Amino acid sequence: MKTFRHIIITGASSGIGEALAIDYAAPGVVLGLTGRDARRLSAVADACRTRGATVLADTVDTTDRTAMALWLKAFDDAHPVDLLIANAGISLDQNNLEVEPFDSAHRTIAVNITGVLNTVEPLIDRLMARREGQVGVISSLAAFFGRPRSASYNASKAAIRVWGESLRFPLAKANVGLSVVCPGYVTSRMTDAIADPRPKTMSTGRASQIIRHGLARNRPRIAFPFGLTVGVWFTALLPVWLSARMLKE
């Protein structure tokens, strides 16, 4: 089971990222945190420091490839990273049953795919050279089939799931782990915007516990909650015509 001391978490100003940051915070731990909201990120950083961690927090835009590379490498130079969690993500137009506005789609793809690539790319060669470390990329149970809503969110999470599961193989040869995290509904500002029923909604604290357990064991896929995961996988296994009829609104 792996333990981590130098940890980077993007999207740490709320939701799962916030819970992970606070739960990992402890004496001897150095956290590198990014988020979009400076005020909330500062509050998270203070909470982590109260628990004894050293914290470097900044509102770096994950879609800015150059800025992310500079920030990540500077942190790694001072504190060689052993856990990198690409968590930052957005979901726009959750309740839109019409064609998704393409401005929203482009923004979602930029954050949820390009932002993840910009988080992993700068440090991957360093982790492989050191032959240690763990990467966690946050996908979603929405990655397994096209739901009626949020086309770009579903697509972006599907892309990250498959990319991460494929990347795991060459990383394993260098003794670097990679886990793809596929949560269901987790209480957060993003899910609070969903007007539809949210079955099996889980607290961020419980989600953090499951994710941390899986990362420490280098699980290939960390999907939860169990009941919803089984339902999603079952739907994904159905013939497309049948799943489309079931999901039609």
Side-chain angles (χ1 to χ4, degrees), residues 131-143:
R131 297 190 62 80
E132 63 179 3
Q134 184 75 22
V135 177
V137 296
I138 308 299
S139 178
S140 169
L141 289 182

Side-chain angles (χ1 to χ4, degrees), residues 153-167:
Y153 178 82
N154 302 339
S156 65
K157 292 302 185 180
I160 288 304
R161 178 179 68 82
V162 176
W163 177 77
E165 290 175 351
S166 298
L167 187 61

